[in-house]
Amino acid sequence: MAQEKDRGGGIVVGGVGGTVLGTMLGLLLAAKPVEAAPPEEKLNFLIEALTALIQVLAEVADGQTTLINLMQQWLAAQGVAPGVEVTVLTPWKAKAPQQIYSNDIRAVGTFLSDTMVNWTEGKRILLKVASSLNQAVNIQVIGNFVDDMNLATNINGALPCPANSNISVGLAWDDWLPFFGVRITTAIAPTAGILNIWAVTQE
């Protein structure tokens, strides 16, 4: 930042080459008397100004070289070879499937998954339903802001899973809740088979 001096219209400039640059700008700002000076004095003035400018540029170049050298030394200390671009990758990785329900349902009613899935740090999530029951069931995904089934709310609508079949349910970004589970309903009591549900979270 420039700061005015009390006389001569000169300024003090901070930073690399500040003293030389301040002197040069002071000369340029006080150039009024030079207009009436003889040609040889004008030439001398221009030579002094250009010399000051060259000094400033040299100091700036030296500063950049020093900075580059320091950065290269730091990278070498971190084990990074010169000229190697440093890139940080954050790959999405799926966790191991988590079984959240396994039961041989033999009644008409509503059943909740054995546990809720922690999705607080997940990006995407998939539910896999595998049924060998001989009757259809409805699968309703539910979610909550805490790990509690009692106050969970529905996420989208219920999906039918026919007898002896499999379905998958993938939740969208807008469906995100910190915890989610499954509510299962039967209209006709199965007499054979088992219902398994897994969740896979990608983080």
Side-chain angles (χ1 to χ4, degrees):
M1 182 176 179
Q3 179 181 1
E4 292 189 4
K5 297 175 73 175
D6 292 336
R7 58 179 189 168
I11 60 174
V12 176
V13 179
V16 177
T19 304
V20 178
L21 184 58
T23 302
M24 184 188 73
L25 291 177
L27 290 171
L28 293 175
L29 292 174
K32 272 287 185 181
V34 179
E35 293 180 359
E40 61 273 9
E41 291 186 15
K42 292 181 180 180
L43 181 59
N44 291 337
F45 168 77
L46 291 175
I47 291 173
E48 290 179 6
L50 290 174
T51 301
L53 178 59
I54 291 171
Q55 285 182 301
V56 170
L57 294 176
E59 291 183 18
V60 171
D62 289 343
Q64 289 179 337
T65 300
T66 301
L67 179 59
I68 291 172
N69 289 336
L70 289 173
M71 291 178 65
Q72 289 177 339
Q73 291 173 15
W74 182 83
L75 288 173
Q78 306 306 311
V80 179
V84 175
E85 182 179 352
V86 178
T87 305
V88 178
L89 298 177
T90 56
W92 289 12
K93 184 176 181 181
K95 298 176 67 175
Q98 174 186 357
Q99 188 162 28
I100 61 174
Y101 188 79
S102 181
N103 209 317
D104 53 347
I105 300 172
R106 297 292 184 267
V108 173
T110 301
F111 312 91
L112 295 175
S113 55
D114 300 325
T115 184
M116 296 194 83
V117 179
N118 184 337
W119 199 18
T120 53
E121 297 181 357
K123 295 182 176 70
R124 294 192 296 190
I125 196 162
L126 175 72
L127 282 173
K128 177 65 177 178
V129 180
S131 175
S132 61
L133 298 174
N134 60 356
Q135 297 294 336
V137 296
N138 281 332
I139 303 296
Q140 174 66 62
V141 181
I142 57 176
N144 203 345
F145 69 100
V146 293
D147 188 359
D148 187 350
M149 295 274 194
N150 295 325
L151 299 177
T153 56
N154 293 344
I155 300 176
N156 302 321
L159 297 174
C161 180
N164 295 299
S165 64
N166 304 313
I167 63 170
S168 296
V169 183
L171 299 183
W173 290 90
D174 293 342
D175 297 328
W176 183 85
L177 278 171
F179 299 90
F180 85 93
V182 175
R183 184 186 301 118
I184 305 125
T185 56
T186 57
I188 302 175
T191 57
I194 189 170
L195 181 67
N196 290 302
I197 303 176
W198 294 270
V200 178
T201 305
Q202 191 176 53
E203 296 183 345

